[in-house]
Amino acid sequence: MDLSIILQFIFSGITVGSIYAIVAIGFNIIYNATGIINFAQGEFVMLGGMLACTLSRYMPLFFAIVLSVLITALVGSLIELIFIRWLKSPTVLQLVVITIGISILIRESSLHIWDEQVRALKFFTGNETTSINILGANISPQVLWVIAVCSLIVIFLVFFFKYTRIGRAMRACSENRDAAGLCGINTELMVNLSFLLSAAIGALAGIVVSPLTQTHYEMGGDIAIKGFTVAILGGLGNSVGAVLAGIILGLIESFSVSLFPSAYQDVIALSILLIILIIKPQGLFRKKELAKLKEF
Amino acid sequence: MKTNKFVMLFLILITIFIPVITYIFNINFLLIQLTMSIYYTLVSLGLCILMGYAGQISLGQAAFFAIGGYTTGVLTTMNFINIRENYLINFLIKCRILTFDKGFYGEVIYFSPFVALIIAILISILIAYFIGFAVLKLKGHYLAMATLGFNIIVYKIIKGTKFLGQADGISAIPGFKILPFLVIDGSNLNRITNFYFASFLLLFVTWLFFNLINSRSGLALRSLHGDEDASNAMGINVTFYKRAVFVLAAVTASVSGFFLTHYNGAIGPSEASIIKSVRYVSIVAVGGMGNIWGVLFSGIILNFLSLRGVFGRFDDAVFGIILIIIMSFAPHGIFNKELIFEIYNKSIKILVSKFKKDN
């Protein structure tokens, strides 16, 4: 392989990987706040893409994106309000099954609202054939958009959780919910915000990647399980780890195409999930003792 | 125990009379969907033990179902007719490992379904043991995701592999001739015998499961159900029992997949899709985890309604809604004594208070 092809693989790997990382961060936000793995996380990505595709027909792209992110965030918040909030000390099994049910519900409703067709948002700059030459590799400007938006999301989240009042309240909530409540933090609101936030970033990721990978009502399941793989690889709850792990998984996937038939691309990602779950369930970048403190 | 025997006897009687009723009212076609829903119920039954007694959620039942179905699909559609002069082939035919048949499209030689059944069971034991070995160390979310991941792997492999038929699946699978008068296939002539076979297989497995639960190992399983740590402290090999139940559920699914594939004469990748696995879980949720009779009834009713197309385009959505509602309001299933008593008591209270108001 010469350099330009390798670069091409690297760029496509980073593109896919940053989407996985965003989904994984979505998992982490909800997991940190509630201890729930939200199986409907992939559905937010799909919903964002679908909404933006439809809305962009009636309004300029920018407003369509903002509006669809807002709607998806609202959906996320409503899910928490309707299905999760009032459960009294639910078991893990119960939560797993309920969030699976929610994901099916969202998927089926979007099948009935839209249809089975594959949609794609138009490219933010240029069109399908526009390309930028970087060291001999031809990449679409959309790739740069994806990488830029995902990095911005990560930077925003780091800033949000470190320096804003609400972000710090959410972190306090994830450390110890009762203690946070005693300090006067509205824990229920924080849990709701965590759903809202993870839905919003999921939707944004779904929108920027839509011109490249297309949006389909069934895409949620696949993207969710890969996002989960990344979340596990990076250590559940660890968002910096998720970014690294996302890029690693993206690179592995894009390079695996040159070795295996592309039909088996997902098989490789999922085998990594199984292997990691068995060998190192605390993630690549974490010590075993630390993981023991968190309950799974 | 007595009620179990009573219910069993009652079900055997019903089973015997169903074909008579369908014959009288000339609704024989219903037997097809009934037979299919019985096979699907079998899958949920294995899952019921796994979820109820080992406390493990498996989102991989559809994968094991597909493993059973595809094993026989591949083995019985191989044709060795081109090398029939081969000494080994002749020897294997004499040993009944290969079957010689005058098929619709000419003579064929393929693996006997008996051999396919044994191989299907062995493969699923092997895979389940390996997966269980690794996966059952995990708990809660991790286990659900791991089995889900396994299911997707199987699904993608089926869709990407040529000799598994890719998206088309495998069709023209020959019938399974168990006895001269008992052939598992989709022909109209064998409809009633097939129905009997399926229902007695289901009842037999139910009986086996009841015996298992009432045996010494069953005691261990029931203690697992109560408290894992406590039973571990009592000297019960928790890991062994969990793995054994996982293998048992997998084998049940695989056997059911084997028979349904012969009955339908075909299998497609949709049998291994995640939505099927979720469906099995939702049937167990409705019936109640660990409640064998509950799962039996909910399985037959829900599968039958779904196969008849009662839910129409909302088929998958219905199962999603069922999952949410059952898990939110009645996590122990609706065929549950306490729940029924509670509803009964409450409704009586409401009636009494209304009655008092009226007076």
Side-chain angles (χ1 to χ4, degrees):
Chain A
M1 277 197 283
D2 63 66
L3 185 71
S4 67
I5 294 177
I6 291 175
L7 258 177
Q8 202 95 40
F9 276 135
I10 288 176
F11 270 111
S12 83
I14 292 176
T15 314
V16 190
S18 41
I19 296 300
Y20 295 160
I22 296 299
V23 177
I25 291 172
F27 272 118
N28 285 340
I29 292 173
I30 292 182
Y31 178 77
N32 276 339
T34 58
I36 297 173
I37 292 292
N38 177 22
F39 278 67
Q41 191 65 38
E43 259 47 58
F44 296 144
V45 178
M46 180 271 293
L47 218 52
M50 282 293 208
L51 281 167
C53 288
T54 311
L55 290 175
S56 65
R57 268 189 251 150
Y58 305 106
M59 55 185 79
L61 190 63
F62 178 73
F63 293 109
I65 291 172
V66 172
L67 197 59
S68 45
V69 169
L70 286 179
I71 294 172
T72 318
L74 198 69
V75 170
S77 155
L78 279 178
I79 284 174
E80 198 272 337
L81 268 180
I82 298 170
F83 298 113
I84 312 280
R85 177 166 289 192
W86 56 278
L87 291 175
K88 281 179 214 148
S89 62
T91 59
V92 172
L93 198 84
Q94 227 174 323
L95 287 171
V96 168
V97 174
I98 287 176
T99 50
I100 290 171
I102 294 168
S103 82
I104 292 171
L105 212 57
I106 297 177
R107 194 179 310 165
E108 289 298 307
S109 1
S110 57
L111 172 64
H112 287 284
I113 294 170
W114 291 283
D115 48 34
E116 289 176 336
Q117 266 171 28
V118 175
R119 283 144 209 272
L121 204 58
K122 55 177 178 279
F123 281 68
F124 291 9
T125 41
N127 56 25
E128 287 86 346
T129 51
T130 328
S131 68
I132 299 169
N133 195 312
I134 297 177
L135 295 172
N138 287 318
I139 56 163
S140 158
Q142 193 65 31
V143 168
L144 298 180
W145 271 105
V146 173
I147 295 169
V149 168
C150 290
S151 334
L152 277 179
I153 291 175
V154 174
I155 292 167
F156 163 75
L157 285 176
V158 169
F159 179 78
F160 176 77
F161 280 117
K162 239 180 182 160
Y163 298 111
T164 64
R165 208 178 156 75
I166 300 175
R168 282 157 79 168
M170 281 173 81
R171 269 202 302 158
C173 212
S174 73
E175 288 295 327
N176 189 329
R177 213 156 147 185
D178 296 334
L182 284 173
C183 292
I185 294 167
N186 185 348
T187 49
E188 285 194 334
L189 182 72
M190 294 305 138
V191 168
N192 196 290
L193 273 181
S194 72
F195 271 82
L196 191 138
L197 197 61
S198 76
I201 62 168
L204 197 54
I207 290 165
V208 284
V209 84
S210 171
L212 292 173
T213 59
Q214 275 93 28
T215 311
H216 183 235
Y217 82 100
E218 258 186 332
M219 72 186 280
D222 280 6
I223 224 160
I225 192 127
K226 282 189 195 152
F228 182 77
T229 311
V230 168
I232 293 292
L233 266 170
L236 206 54
N238 178 358
S239 290
V240 181
V243 174
L244 285 175
I247 289 167
I248 291 173
L249 188 74
L251 288 176
I252 291 174
E253 262 197 14
S254 70
F255 277 100
S256 73
V257 176
S258 59
L259 292 176
F260 301 98
S262 59
Y264 295 137
Q265 202 181 16
D266 295 339
V267 175
I268 289 156
L270 294 169
S271 312
I272 291 173
L273 167 70
L274 286 185
I275 292 167
I276 286 293
L277 274 179
I278 291 150
I279 298 173
K280 230 172 141 46
Q282 71 274 18
L284 288 179
F285 315 111
R286 236 206 213 152
K287 291 214 170 68
K288 216 174 193 171
E289 293 73 33
L290 209 85
K292 269 187 188 159
L293 293 174
K294 288 244 171 201
E295 50 181 317
F296 295 119
Chain B
M1 226 35 255
K2 251 186 185 169
T3 47
N4 280 347
K5 270 182 191 161
F6 181 73
V7 177
M8 186 70 95
L9 211 67
F10 182 66
L11 283 182
I12 290 173
L13 281 179
I14 286 187
T15 310
I16 290 169
F17 278 109
I18 281 178
V20 180
I21 296 166
T22 54
Y23 183 77
I24 292 170
F25 290 100
N26 202 15
I27 43 171
N28 253 334
F29 53 89
L30 289 181
L31 283 183
I32 299 173
Q33 281 107 2
L34 211 53
T35 312
M36 284 169 77
S37 55
I38 286 168
Y39 284 129
Y40 282 130
T41 305
L42 208 54
V43 185
S44 301
L45 217 56
L47 189 63
C48 162
I49 302 279
L50 181 69
M51 280 171 81
Y53 290 95
Q56 305 290 329
I57 183 167
S58 166
L59 289 168
Q61 281 296 90
F64 286 112
F65 182 93
I67 285 170
Y70 270 98
T71 308
T72 186
V74 168
L75 290 179
T76 57
T77 51
M78 275 181 184
N79 195 352
F80 296 103
I81 199 75
N82 295 331
I83 45 168
R84 81 181 284 190
E85 307 308 323
N86 193 316
Y87 171 74
L88 188 67
I89 296 286
N90 277 319
F91 176 71
L92 288 177
I93 289 175
K94 268 189 195 131
C95 295
R96 303 263 173 143
I97 289 176
L98 293 177
T99 309
F100 175 78
D101 205 0
K102 278 180 190 142
F104 194 68
Y105 301 106
E107 294 172 329
V108 280
I109 297 174
Y110 55 86
F111 273 101
S112 150
F114 279 109
V115 178
L117 178 61
I118 292 165
I119 292 176
I121 290 174
L122 285 180
I123 289 179
S124 48
I125 287 177
L126 211 70
I127 294 178
Y129 188 83
F130 181 71
I131 294 275
F133 184 76
V135 154
L136 292 180
K137 283 196 300 188
L138 309 169
K139 273 185 179 168
H141 297 312
Y142 279 20
L143 182 73
M145 273 293 184
T147 47
L148 186 68
F150 166 67
N151 198 336
I152 297 179
I153 289 176
V154 171
Y155 180 66
K156 298 274 171 176
I157 287 178
I158 288 171
K159 266 203 153 172
T161 310
K162 195 129 198 223
F163 78 96
L164 295 176
Q166 286 173 327
D168 295 332
I170 298 174
S171 54
I173 295 167
F176 177 20
K177 199 171 180 185
I178 302 175
L179 293 168
F181 57 89
L182 184 58
V183 184
I184 308 291
D185 64 2
S187 71
N188 287 349
L189 284 172
N190 299 325
R191 209 180 268 169
I192 292 173
T193 46
N194 261 309
F195 169 74
Y196 279 139
F197 177 78
S199 22
F200 283 109
L201 182 71
L202 182 68
L203 288 176
F204 176 67
V205 172
T206 313
W207 177 75
L208 277 185
F209 282 176
F210 269 119
N211 275 354
L212 172 75
I213 286 165
N214 291 317
S215 69
R216 194 181 152 79
S217 323
L219 281 177
L221 284 179
R222 275 189 280 177
S223 77
L224 252 183
H225 183 55
D227 191 321
E228 204 172 294
D229 294 330
S231 48
N232 202 2
M234 294 305 289
I236 288 165
N237 191 342
V238 173
T239 335
F240 167 79
Y241 278 107
K242 273 189 182 175
R243 200 181 303 153
V245 175
F246 189 72
V247 171
L248 183 73
V251 169
T252 325
S254 161
V255 168
S256 148
F258 171 87
F259 281 114
L260 189 58
T261 303
H262 278 291
Y263 184 65
N264 287 340
I267 187 166
S270 73
E271 292 294 350
S273 62
I274 303 153
I275 196 83
K276 285 267 178 185
S277 278
V278 172
R279 197 175 272 219
Y280 299 131
V281 171
S282 61
I283 282 163
V284 174
V286 173
M289 296 167 202
N291 182 349
I292 294 177
W293 289 128
V295 172
L296 195 103
F297 290 121
S298 71
I300 289 178
I301 293 167
L302 284 176
N303 278 318
F304 185 69
L305 290 179
S306 164
L307 286 168
R308 287 296 301 160
V310 175
F311 307 134
R313 294 192 306 145
F314 301 99
D315 205 27
D316 292 336
V318 164
F319 280 91
I321 293 168
I322 285 175
L323 270 187
I324 297 174
I325 292 176
I326 293 286
M327 273 298 153
S328 306
F329 295 104
H332 298 292
I334 59 169
F335 294 99
N336 177 307
K337 269 184 209 159
E338 280 149 33
L339 185 79
I340 292 168
F341 275 132
E342 206 184 301
I343 291 172
Y344 178 74
N345 284 338
K346 269 188 185 165
S347 50
I348 283 193
K349 262 184 197 168
I350 290 166
L351 281 178
V352 167
S353 61
K354 256 193 181 173
F355 194 67
K356 274 181 184 166
K357 260 184 202 167
D358 290 344
N359 285 337

